[in-house]
Amino acid sequence: MVSKFDKKHVVSIKDFTREEINEILDIAKDMKEIAIGNKIDNSLNGKILGTLFFEPSTRTRLSFESAMKRLGGTCIGFARPGTSSVKKGETLADTIQVIASYVDIIVLRHPQEGAARLAAKFSEKPILNAGDGAGQHPTQTLLDLFTIKEEKGEIKNKKIGIAGDLKYGRTVHSLTHALSMYECDLTFIAPNALQIPDEIIKDIDRLGINYKKVENIKDVLSELDVLYMTRIQRERFPSEDEYLEVAETYNVKKNMLDNVNENLIIMHPLPRVDEISADVDETKHARYFQQAANGVPIRMALLKLLTEGYDE
Amino acid sequence: MNKKKKKIKITPIESGTVIDHVKSGHAMKVLKIIGVMDKQMNSIVSIAMNVNSSYGKKDIVKVENMELESDELDKISLISPRATVNIIRDFEVIKKHQVKLPEKVKGIVKCINNTCITNQNEPIESEFDVVGEDPVTLKCVYCEREMKGEEISENVI
């Protein structure tokens, strides 16, 4: 396979073409057996991943570390800024330049939007954005796409419902952009106050994508191939009562799934709170744990592409 | 010249640069953008605000004995898209230039997003792609937040 992948960094899903994303997903598929330990691949032996987590995110960090170690590499880093020189007032630009000289590739999680773009500017080694504030989280989007492709065979033209906090949820904005690239049919399910922002709608309008906005999951559940749930955060509501009212509507229970498409899959970036009841876990529709597991092969694919290229 | 003087009620300059059709109330920001405040200029700079014109109120900025580069002045379009730049010699307009929106904007404007990395203590300038013309819309290269119209003029650095 001749790689068309020529990106040095992974900062935003918007930097990628559909062909590049397809290539990442194809390589992730090759990584699946290695990710669960059924096959051995030590191609990153001797390489070091720096994990710079300026805010805690245990599962993202652990899935990156698992991905690196499954490929024979090692990791150094910190899990919160309290243990770094940032506490002494060092700029991110300086931290990145120093650490880039210790490692082969850097994964960065940072509370400020745009931090990964800045890091990419100052780093001579590849930067993998693991979430910057309310900004981008491209590896989450890639693992979401990978899950849909694995489960559905392809992503193109699928009917996808995205529910929850669509106004502030960063996962949702990146995912919407990516699904538009695959000409999916989108349904945005949210209370009016948390509906998808106009600028995102403007983007998908430009691409001529079919979409609709609805308030109630029940109204559209039977039409969907994929239901992507996200968390509705308590702090977005003026009062506890208003939150509870909305939270009740955005809760998927087993008894709502009687008339759905037989092949419907339900996804969630996790952690969930009340959005999906535990009784849904045992149904054939639940895919959120599989989705979380897919974080490892996707991150393995990116580590391979960015550190050594990929040649099969 | 007398005719012109009557029309705009403002004294012509012998030579230099006149920035005309500046959006009313934005003259001081134009001075900031073209760097008059920072440059150690000996030129006389005068401004007129809320001048009547056929398009309603406008501001005018005059910089004497200095012919400012038009590329540099294109940045004015961010806050005043209809501004024109007139180069004056011997009281005559020898060159007239309508400001054009640049494709990229570096510095000049602060990102509206307080938690954008460009608003922290980092050794970088703000940087935007111009993604819309009417209204002028900037997109931060770092945090991808868009800002438009008045948001831009309020955030001129």
Side-chain angles (χ1 to χ4, degrees):
Chain A
M1 187 168 97
V2 179
S3 176
K4 292 189 193 75
F5 191 91
D6 66 349
K7 294 281 183 293
K8 183 171 179 192
H9 308 284
V10 176
V11 172
S12 165
I13 198 74
K14 293 181 185 165
D15 297 339
F16 293 88
T17 62
R18 189 161 126 179
E19 287 67 35
E20 286 171 321
I21 293 175
N22 284 339
E23 187 174 345
I24 297 166
L25 303 187
D26 286 346
I27 297 170
K29 190 172 181 165
D30 296 345
M31 295 297 115
K32 278 200 90 164
E33 288 295 301
I34 306 162
I36 52 174
N38 285 351
K39 271 167 78 178
I40 302 294
D41 177 344
N42 281 321
S43 54
L44 299 191
N45 185 19
K47 303 272 188 197
I48 302 174
L49 169 69
T51 54
L52 277 53
F53 278 66
F54 289 89
E55 66 178 9
S57 174
T58 311
R59 74 188 72 202
T60 304
R61 185 171 55 85
L62 293 182
S63 74
F64 266 111
E65 288 186 7
S66 170
M68 190 63 180
K69 289 181 178 180
R70 290 285 190 199
L71 291 169
T74 52
C75 311
I76 58 172
F78 54 86
R80 49 177 53 83
T83 53
S84 84
S85 51
V86 171
K87 224 180 167 186
K88 298 171 196 156
E90 188 181 50
T91 61
L92 177 62
D94 279 5
T95 307
I96 289 292
Q97 286 178 89
V98 173
I99 293 181
S101 67
Y102 301 158
V103 300
D104 300 291
I105 179 166
I106 291 174
V107 49
L108 174 74
R109 171 99 167 198
H110 198 278
Q112 254 109 33
E113 290 95 69
R117 187 76 67 195
L118 174 136
K121 212 164 209 164
F122 285 90
S123 174
E124 56 178 29
K125 303 288 168 55
I127 296 287
L128 264 160
N129 185 5
D132 52 353
Q136 299 294 324
H137 193 3
T139 61
Q140 176 70 49
T141 307
L142 288 168
L143 76 87
D144 293 342
L145 295 175
F146 183 59
T147 305
I148 297 171
K149 192 169 183 188
E150 284 280 290
E151 297 295 330
K152 296 284 172 193
E154 62 176 340
I155 305 167
K156 199 177 168 189
N157 295 335
K158 290 286 171 279
K159 290 189 166 73
I160 300 184
I162 307 177
D165 179 355
L166 310 188
K167 187 172 182 183
Y168 300 100
R170 70 172 162 206
T171 325
V172 166
H173 300 166
S174 303
L175 182 63
T176 301
H177 175 87
L179 293 173
S180 307
M181 289 164 82
Y182 286 90
E183 298 149 58
C184 289
D185 194 306
L186 303 175
T187 303
F188 300 108
I189 311 157
N192 280 334
L194 296 178
Q195 255 301 354
I196 194 95
D198 288 345
E199 52 199 67
I200 309 265
I201 291 291
K202 223 166 58 190
D203 274 348
I204 62 175
D205 263 341
R206 236 188 334 249
L207 293 166
I209 300 301
N210 277 334
Y211 72 90
K212 62 180 170 188
K213 297 185 202 173
V214 299
E215 279 199 71
N216 202 319
I217 294 177
K218 284 182 189 160
D219 295 345
V220 289
L221 202 48
S222 63
E223 306 165 6
L224 301 174
D225 297 313
V226 177
L227 172 65
Y228 193 102
M229 290 297 294
T230 62
R231 199 146 50 96
I232 290 194
Q233 287 168 316
R234 224 168 267 258
E235 59 268 28
R236 305 281 184 220
F237 291 85
S239 74
E240 181 74 8
D241 285 351
E242 282 174 77
Y243 164 73
L244 289 173
E245 197 181 316
V246 168
E248 175 61 25
T249 322
Y250 291 85
N251 170 263
V252 178
K253 302 180 198 75
K254 189 179 174 186
N255 64 16
M256 291 163 66
L257 302 175
D258 295 341
N259 298 316
V260 300
N261 178 345
E262 198 190 340
N263 298 318
L264 168 80
I265 60 166
I266 301 174
M267 296 171 63
H268 191 299
L270 303 182
R272 65 175 155 173
V273 185
D274 299 319
E275 308 83 53
I276 302 176
S277 297
D279 64 4
V280 177
D281 299 0
E282 66 196 43
T283 70
K284 62 182 176 187
H285 306 291
R287 287 296 184 285
Y288 24 93
F289 293 118
Q290 187 55 47
Q291 181 188 357
N294 283 338
V296 178
I298 272 291
R299 286 162 181 140
M300 288 169 78
L302 293 170
L303 290 170
K304 270 177 99 77
L305 278 166
L306 293 175
T307 49
E308 57 159 21
Y310 187 72
D311 200 4
E312 177 98 315
Chain B
M1 288 318 298
N2 281 343
K3 200 175 164 191
K4 190 173 182 184
K5 185 178 174 183
K6 233 181 208 172
K7 193 176 156 199
I8 62 172
K9 290 181 183 169
I10 185 159
T11 331
I13 58 174
E14 184 178 346
S15 67
T17 308
V18 174
I19 305 164
D20 199 0
H21 299 289
V22 172
K23 196 172 166 189
S24 174
H26 285 63
M28 295 302 284
K29 290 200 167 116
V30 166
L31 295 185
K32 256 186 167 179
I33 288 177
I34 62 179
V36 166
M37 315 289 217
D38 309 325
K39 284 177 189 151
Q40 302 245 318
M41 301 200 309
N42 291 322
S43 314
I44 295 173
V45 177
S46 48
I47 63 172
M49 297 179 84
N50 299 322
V51 178
N52 285 320
S53 82
S54 39
Y55 298 107
K57 301 273 187 199
K58 66 175 182 181
D59 289 1
I60 300 169
V61 173
K62 297 185 295 179
V63 182
E64 292 185 39
N65 302 320
M66 212 175 170
E67 295 182 5
L68 296 170
E69 294 290 326
S70 62
D71 288 358
E72 199 179 336
L73 298 182
D74 277 343
K75 295 169 189 167
I76 296 168
S77 59
L78 294 175
I79 58 162
S80 194
R82 289 180 42 210
T84 56
V85 177
N86 303 278
I87 304 296
I88 315 286
R89 284 183 203 157
D90 290 333
F91 296 104
E92 295 292 333
V93 176
I94 60 136
K95 210 161 99 185
K96 197 178 185 96
H97 169 76
Q98 170 86 44
V99 294
K100 285 196 304 265
L101 270 175
E103 284 178 10
K104 276 202 171 278
V105 178
K106 272 191 160 191
I108 308 173
V109 180
K110 172 182 170 298
C111 180
I112 193 170
N113 174 10
N114 283 334
T115 54
C116 175
I117 196 76
T118 58
N119 287 324
Q120 317 308 317
N121 185 30
E122 296 290 339
I124 40 161
E125 273 189 315
S126 66
E127 195 175 332
F128 302 88
D129 290 325
V130 178
V131 295
E133 289 189 7
D134 190 18
V136 177
T137 310
L138 302 182
K139 186 173 196 174
C140 176
V141 165
Y142 289 89
C143 76
E144 300 181 13
R145 177 77 76 89
E146 288 189 4
M147 50 200 292
K148 55 185 80 168
E150 283 303 306
E151 290 173 343
I152 298 172
S153 28
E154 282 163 13
N155 284 285
V156 170
I157 298 166

